[in-house]
Amino acid sequence: MEYEDLLREADKQELMVKEKNIPGYKGRIYNNRIAIRKNMTSVEKGCVLAEELGHHYTTVGDILDQTSVNSRKQEYRARLWAYNRLIGLHGIISAHKSGCQNISDVADYLDVTESFLQEALLCYKQKYGLYVKLDNYVIYFEPSIGVFEMNGNTAFQFNKT
């Protein structure tokens, strides 16, 4: 999903998105306003906007104090929302089907940054364990990301580089 698509979604939610210089942050949401740091690539902006939309949909109140367990849980929910919106398990399978050979290929295919993808994979590993079954596929998260198609008996492992 591209940054422009996320901007349209924000607009439908009556959220105002502005690109500006934000010291110390890539993005912030306050009420119906989202600020995105302007000196980033459109792919980076998309990842940040997805997380801010995740906050819009899942967060209540001020969660800037991350020493609070409740704030950390809400931050996790917002990030998981963003990972699922931009990547998801179906996206990993789709990348496999399209012939992606490594993490860089997968990130390019899904229009996310490599670091966003790596964080999502870590989150999915924490959520699902070493692997998860979806439809006729098994997605492995260790020792590296891999997709196994159960019906076709074909396996594929993405290289970490």
Tab-separated table of all heavy atoms in Angstrom, residues 15 30 45 47 49 51 60 73 91 93 99 106 110-111 126 151:
chain	number	residue	atom	x	y	z
A	15	LEU	N	-9.133	12.895	9.153
A	15	LEU	CA	-7.873	13.215	9.807
A	15	LEU	C	-7.084	14.144	8.899
A	15	LEU	O	-7.009	13.918	7.693
A	15	LEU	CB	-7.063	11.944	10.068
A	15	LEU	CG	-7.699	10.922	11.005
A	15	LEU	CD1	-6.939	9.608	10.967
A	15	LEU	CD2	-7.763	11.461	12.424
A	30	TYR	N	-2.489	13.783	17.210
A	30	TYR	CA	-3.162	14.479	18.304
A	30	TYR	C	-4.559	14.825	17.819
A	30	TYR	O	-4.708	15.557	16.830
A	30	TYR	CB	-2.395	15.737	18.711
A	30	TYR	CG	-3.042	16.466	19.864
A	30	TYR	CD1	-2.942	15.971	21.159
A	30	TYR	CD2	-3.771	17.619	19.639
A	30	TYR	CE1	-3.545	16.625	22.212
A	30	TYR	CE2	-4.380	18.288	20.694
A	30	TYR	CZ	-4.277	17.778	21.976
A	30	TYR	OH	-4.890	18.418	23.020
A	45	LYS	N	7.447	7.482	4.924
A	45	LYS	CA	6.243	8.209	5.336
A	45	LYS	C	5.045	7.274	5.412
A	45	LYS	O	4.210	7.392	6.317
A	45	LYS	CB	5.947	9.358	4.370
A	45	LYS	CG	6.931	10.504	4.459
A	45	LYS	CD	6.621	11.549	3.406
A	45	LYS	CE	7.685	12.625	3.362
A	45	LYS	NZ	7.438	13.597	2.271
A	47	CYS	N	5.069	4.048	6.136
A	47	CYS	CA	5.198	3.225	7.345
A	47	CYS	C	4.808	4.030	8.584
A	47	CYS	O	4.089	3.527	9.465
A	47	CYS	CB	6.618	2.688	7.473
A	47	CYS	SG	7.094	1.531	6.171
A	49	LEU	N	2.883	6.796	8.671
A	49	LEU	CA	1.456	7.121	8.630
A	49	LEU	C	0.607	5.911	9.005
A	49	LEU	O	-0.400	6.045	9.698
A	49	LEU	CB	1.062	7.657	7.250
A	49	LEU	CG	-0.400	8.068	7.093
A	49	LEU	CD1	-0.845	9.055	8.180
A	49	LEU	CD2	-0.635	8.665	5.704
A	51	GLU	N	1.387	3.602	11.129
A	51	GLU	CA	1.416	3.494	12.590
A	51	GLU	C	0.536	4.560	13.238
A	51	GLU	O	-0.186	4.284	14.193
A	51	GLU	CB	2.842	3.592	13.130
A	51	GLU	CG	2.880	3.382	14.627
A	51	GLU	CD	4.267	3.418	15.228
A	51	GLU	OE1	5.236	3.110	14.523
A	51	GLU	OE2	4.361	3.753	16.425
A	60	VAL	N	-6.197	5.045	23.085
A	60	VAL	CA	-7.030	5.983	23.831
A	60	VAL	C	-6.123	6.798	24.753
A	60	VAL	O	-5.337	6.232	25.502
A	60	VAL	CB	-8.084	5.231	24.675
A	60	VAL	CG1	-8.898	6.204	25.512
A	60	VAL	CG2	-8.978	4.383	23.792
A	73	LYS	N	1.259	-1.330	25.920
A	73	LYS	CA	0.296	-2.221	25.264
A	73	LYS	C	-0.406	-1.506	24.113
A	73	LYS	O	-0.620	-2.084	23.041
A	73	LYS	CB	-0.749	-2.722	26.272
A	73	LYS	CG	-0.229	-3.780	27.212
A	73	LYS	CD	-1.324	-4.236	28.160
A	73	LYS	CE	-0.819	-5.274	29.134
A	73	LYS	NZ	-1.871	-5.709	30.068
A	91	GLY	N	0.488	-10.919	2.876
A	91	GLY	CA	1.516	-10.205	2.130
A	91	GLY	C	2.809	-11.000	2.028
A	91	GLY	O	3.469	-10.993	0.984
A	93	ILE	N	3.014	-14.270	2.059
A	93	ILE	CA	2.738	-15.343	1.095
A	93	ILE	C	2.742	-14.797	-0.324
A	93	ILE	O	3.308	-15.404	-1.240
A	93	ILE	CB	1.398	-16.041	1.434
A	93	ILE	CG1	1.538	-16.820	2.743
A	93	ILE	CG2	0.960	-16.961	0.298
A	93	ILE	CD1	0.228	-17.320	3.323
A	99	GLY	N	7.998	-14.391	-6.174
A	99	GLY	CA	9.397	-14.720	-6.429
A	99	GLY	C	10.416	-13.906	-5.666
A	99	GLY	O	11.597	-13.901	-6.025
A	106	VAL	N	11.337	-8.431	-0.531
A	106	VAL	CA	10.025	-8.452	0.110
A	106	VAL	C	9.608	-7.036	0.504
A	106	VAL	O	8.471	-6.624	0.271
A	106	VAL	CB	10.016	-9.394	1.339
A	106	VAL	CG1	8.674	-9.327	2.064
A	106	VAL	CG2	10.323	-10.822	0.918
A	110	LEU	N	6.369	-5.104	-0.958
A	110	LEU	CA	5.281	-4.663	-0.079
A	110	LEU	C	5.257	-3.154	0.129
A	110	LEU	O	4.367	-2.636	0.810
A	110	LEU	CB	5.387	-5.380	1.270
A	110	LEU	CG	5.192	-6.900	1.220
A	110	LEU	CD1	5.519	-7.518	2.571
A	110	LEU	CD2	3.779	-7.248	0.777
A	111	ASP	N	6.227	-2.443	-0.425
A	111	ASP	CA	6.326	-0.990	-0.323
A	111	ASP	C	6.485	-0.525	1.131
A	111	ASP	O	5.810	0.400	1.588
A	111	ASP	CB	5.116	-0.316	-0.985
A	111	ASP	CG	5.422	1.096	-1.452
A	111	ASP	OD1	6.592	1.385	-1.767
A	111	ASP	OD2	4.492	1.927	-1.503
A	126	GLN	N	6.788	-13.129	17.858
A	126	GLN	CA	6.354	-13.049	19.253
A	126	GLN	C	4.886	-13.444	19.392
A	126	GLN	O	4.495	-14.075	20.370
A	126	GLN	CB	6.582	-11.640	19.804
A	126	GLN	CG	8.038	-11.289	19.973
A	126	GLN	CD	8.265	-9.829	20.283
A	126	GLN	OE1	7.393	-8.987	20.085
A	126	GLN	NE2	9.468	-9.518	20.749
A	151	ASN	N	0.365	-27.944	-0.221
A	151	ASN	CA	-0.178	-28.739	-1.324
A	151	ASN	C	0.856	-29.034	-2.395
A	151	ASN	O	0.923	-30.127	-2.915
A	151	ASN	CB	-1.378	-28.041	-1.965
A	151	ASN	CG	-2.614	-28.162	-1.102
A	151	ASN	OD1	-2.643	-28.943	-0.170
A	151	ASN	ND2	-3.614	-27.367	-1.405
